[in-house]
């Protein structure tokens, strides 16, 4: 159910902000955010360690954020070197679904 909600959220997010439709990847979806502080997002509806590593390995532009519907503490061990879970950014997807802000959504960023 969470995976389906995440996909629906991404589709609605893109439409509501007049962004291109999300692109499917083996690990989930990529949506072009188009802002200098956030170029794009990889949303992983059903993340595990291998999908997180595949998504982060595909990042070629700074300020591309993976978003994962899991607790930050769950995601942290899955992140390759240089990536951190950003606790300040965590929770926006859940908040939009009416769930508590910092419950179960990891936002990650590469910090060399």
């Amino acid at each position: 159910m969470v995976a389906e909600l995440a996909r629906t959220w991404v589709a609605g997010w893109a439409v509501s902000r007049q962004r291109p439709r999300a692109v499917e990847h083996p690990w989930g979806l990529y949506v072009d955010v188009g802002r200098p502080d956030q170029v794009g997002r990889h949303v992983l509806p059903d993340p595990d360690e291998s999908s997180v590593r595949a998504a982060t390995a595909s990042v070629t532009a700074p300020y591309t954020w993976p978003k994962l519907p899991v607790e930050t503490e769950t995601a942290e061990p899955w992140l390759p070197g240089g990536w951190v879970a950003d606790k300040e950014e965590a929770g926006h997807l859940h908040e939009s679904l009416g769930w508590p802000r910092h419950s179960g959504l990891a936002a990650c960023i590469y910090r060399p």
Side-chain angles (χ1 to χ4, degrees), residues 27 44 48-59 75-81 83:
W27 54 81
L44 287 73
D48 59 17
E49 184 173 2
S50 64
S51 64
V52 169
R53 292 196 177 259
T56 55
S58 76
V59 172
E76 285 177 315
W78 298 344
L79 298 171
W83 286 85

Side-chain angles (χ1 to χ4, degrees), residues 23-85:
V23 176
E24 286 277 345
H25 287 278
W27 54 81
L29 303 161
Y30 175 80
V31 63
D32 176 9
V33 176
R35 295 183 356 209
D37 64 336
Q38 194 169 149
V39 174
R41 297 177 183 167
H42 287 286
V43 179
L44 287 73
D46 192 21
D48 59 17
E49 184 173 2
S50 64
S51 64
V52 169
R53 292 196 177 259
T56 55
S58 76
V59 172
T60 58
Y63 304 107
T64 302
W65 293 65
K67 303 281 187 165
L68 320 169
V70 296
E71 296 291 339
T72 301
E73 293 75 21
T74 301
E76 285 177 315
W78 298 344
L79 298 171
W83 286 85
V84 295

